[in-house]
PDB file of all heavy atoms in Angstrom:
ATOM      1  N   SER O 103      -1.948-133.467  24.915  1.00  0.00           N
ATOM      2  CA  SER O 103      -1.702-132.232  24.169  1.00  0.00           C
ATOM      3  C   SER O 103      -0.690-131.357  24.904  1.00  0.00           C
ATOM      4  O   SER O 103       0.237-130.806  24.292  1.00  0.00           O
ATOM      5  CB  SER O 103      -3.017-131.479  23.975  1.00  0.00           C
ATOM      6  OG  SER O 103      -2.784-130.233  23.378  1.00  0.00           O
ATOM      7  N   GLY O 104      -0.855-131.242  26.202  1.00  0.00           N
ATOM      8  CA  GLY O 104       0.094-130.467  26.996  1.00  0.00           C
ATOM      9  C   GLY O 104       1.492-131.059  26.939  1.00  0.00           C
ATOM     10  O   GLY O 104       2.487-130.337  26.809  1.00  0.00           O
ATOM     11  N   ARG O 105       1.586-132.372  27.013  1.00  0.00           N
ATOM     12  CA  ARG O 105       2.894-133.032  26.953  1.00  0.00           C
ATOM     13  C   ARG O 105       3.542-132.837  25.594  1.00  0.00           C
ATOM     14  O   ARG O 105       4.755-132.594  25.502  1.00  0.00           O
ATOM     15  CB  ARG O 105       2.753-134.525  27.259  1.00  0.00           C
ATOM     16  CG  ARG O 105       2.409-134.801  28.709  1.00  0.00           C
ATOM     17  CD  ARG O 105       2.331-136.276  29.005  1.00  0.00           C
ATOM     18  NE  ARG O 105       3.692-136.822  28.973  1.00  0.00           N
ATOM     19  CZ  ARG O 105       3.956-138.125  28.891  1.00  0.00           C
ATOM     20  NH1 ARG O 105       2.976-139.004  28.814  1.00  0.00           N
ATOM     21  NH2 ARG O 105       5.197-138.548  28.874  1.00  0.00           N
ATOM     22  N   VAL O 106       2.763-132.946  24.524  1.00  0.00           N
ATOM     23  CA  VAL O 106       3.295-132.741  23.173  1.00  0.00           C
ATOM     24  C   VAL O 106       3.817-131.309  23.036  1.00  0.00           C
ATOM     25  O   VAL O 106       4.904-131.076  22.496  1.00  0.00           O
ATOM     26  CB  VAL O 106       2.226-133.048  22.090  1.00  0.00           C
ATOM     27  CG1 VAL O 106       2.671-132.556  20.716  1.00  0.00           C
ATOM     28  CG2 VAL O 106       1.932-134.539  22.039  1.00  0.00           C
ATOM     29  N   THR O 107       3.057-130.353  23.547  1.00  0.00           N
ATOM     30  CA  THR O 107       3.462-128.952  23.471  1.00  0.00           C
ATOM     31  C   THR O 107       4.772-128.721  24.221  1.00  0.00           C
ATOM     32  O   THR O 107       5.693-128.080  23.703  1.00  0.00           O
ATOM     33  CB  THR O 107       2.356-128.044  24.034  1.00  0.00           C
ATOM     34  OG1 THR O 107       1.176-128.245  23.260  1.00  0.00           O
ATOM     35  CG2 THR O 107       2.751-126.587  23.984  1.00  0.00           C
ATOM     36  N   ARG O 108       4.874-129.242  25.436  1.00  0.00           N
ATOM     37  CA  ARG O 108       6.099-129.058  26.222  1.00  0.00           C
ATOM     38  C   ARG O 108       7.284-129.747  25.553  1.00  0.00           C
ATOM     39  O   ARG O 108       8.387-129.190  25.507  1.00  0.00           O
ATOM     40  CB  ARG O 108       5.898-129.564  27.646  1.00  0.00           C
ATOM     41  CG  ARG O 108       4.984-128.661  28.478  1.00  0.00           C
ATOM     42  CD  ARG O 108       4.918-129.075  29.937  1.00  0.00           C
ATOM     43  NE  ARG O 108       4.407-130.419  30.143  1.00  0.00           N
ATOM     44  CZ  ARG O 108       3.113-130.747  30.178  1.00  0.00           C
ATOM     45  NH1 ARG O 108       2.194-129.818  30.017  1.00  0.00           N
ATOM     46  NH2 ARG O 108       2.736-131.996  30.382  1.00  0.00           N
ATOM     47  N   LEU O 109       7.074-130.938  25.012  1.00  0.00           N
ATOM     48  CA  LEU O 109       8.149-131.655  24.327  1.00  0.00           C
ATOM     49  C   LEU O 109       8.613-130.891  23.095  1.00  0.00           C
ATOM     50  O   LEU O 109       9.812-130.714  22.869  1.00  0.00           O
ATOM     51  CB  LEU O 109       7.681-133.066  23.929  1.00  0.00           C
ATOM     52  CG  LEU O 109       8.692-133.885  23.120  1.00  0.00           C
ATOM     53  CD1 LEU O 109       9.962-134.134  23.939  1.00  0.00           C
ATOM     54  CD2 LEU O 109       8.068-135.191  22.667  1.00  0.00           C
ATOM     55  N   ALA O 110       7.673-130.428  22.296  1.00  0.00           N
ATOM     56  CA  ALA O 110       8.032-129.682  21.084  1.00  0.00           C
ATOM     57  C   ALA O 110       8.798-128.421  21.445  1.00  0.00           C
ATOM     58  O   ALA O 110       9.781-128.072  20.781  1.00  0.00           O
ATOM     59  CB  ALA O 110       6.785-129.340  20.279  1.00  0.00           C
ATOM     60  N   HIS O 111       8.357-127.742  22.491  1.00  0.00           N
ATOM     61  CA  HIS O 111       9.059-126.524  22.904  1.00  0.00           C
ATOM     62  C   HIS O 111      10.492-126.854  23.317  1.00  0.00           C
ATOM     63  O   HIS O 111      11.432-126.144  22.947  1.00  0.00           O
ATOM     64  CB  HIS O 111       8.314-125.842  24.051  1.00  0.00           C
ATOM     65  CG  HIS O 111       8.914-124.537  24.431  1.00  0.00           C
ATOM     66  ND1 HIS O 111       8.765-123.394  23.674  1.00  0.00           N
ATOM     67  CD2 HIS O 111       9.705-124.191  25.468  1.00  0.00           C
ATOM     68  CE1 HIS O 111       9.423-122.404  24.236  1.00  0.00           C
ATOM     69  NE2 HIS O 111       9.998-122.865  25.324  1.00  0.00           N
ATOM     70  N   ARG O 112      10.661-127.940  24.064  1.00  0.00           N
ATOM     71  CA  ARG O 112      12.001-128.338  24.499  1.00  0.00           C
ATOM     72  C   ARG O 112      12.873-128.722  23.303  1.00  0.00           C
ATOM     73  O   ARG O 112      14.027-128.321  23.206  1.00  0.00           O
ATOM     74  CB  ARG O 112      11.907-129.501  25.482  1.00  0.00           C
ATOM     75  CG  ARG O 112      13.246-129.808  26.143  1.00  0.00           C
ATOM     76  CD  ARG O 112      13.142-130.963  27.099  1.00  0.00           C
ATOM     77  NE  ARG O 112      13.201-132.181  26.303  1.00  0.00           N
ATOM     78  CZ  ARG O 112      12.599-133.320  26.621  1.00  0.00           C
ATOM     79  NH1 ARG O 112      11.866-133.410  27.695  1.00  0.00           N
ATOM     80  NH2 ARG O 112      12.716-134.372  25.860  1.00  0.00           N
ATOM     81  N   LEU O 113      12.315-129.500  22.353  1.00  0.00           N
ATOM     82  CA  LEU O 113      13.075-129.942  21.194  1.00  0.00           C
ATOM     83  C   LEU O 113      13.409-128.795  20.247  1.00  0.00           C
ATOM     84  O   LEU O 113      14.497-128.758  19.665  1.00  0.00           O
ATOM     85  CB  LEU O 113      12.304-131.028  20.432  1.00  0.00           C
ATOM     86  CG  LEU O 113      12.094-132.353  21.167  1.00  0.00           C
ATOM     87  CD1 LEU O 113      11.190-133.273  20.352  1.00  0.00           C
ATOM     88  CD2 LEU O 113      13.423-133.028  21.482  1.00  0.00           C
ATOM     89  N   ALA O 114      12.479-127.870  20.087  1.00  0.00           N
ATOM     90  CA  ALA O 114      12.687-126.762  19.156  1.00  0.00           C
ATOM     91  C   ALA O 114      13.666-125.737  19.711  1.00  0.00           C
ATOM     92  O   ALA O 114      14.330-125.029  18.958  1.00  0.00           O
ATOM     93  CB  ALA O 114      11.358-126.088  18.830  1.00  0.00           C
TER      94      ALA O 114
END
Side-chain angles (χ1 to χ4, degrees):
S103 174
R105 290 182 71 196
V106 168
T107 300
R108 288 187 300 277
L109 176 62
H111 185 75
R112 189 181 81 211
L113 294 174

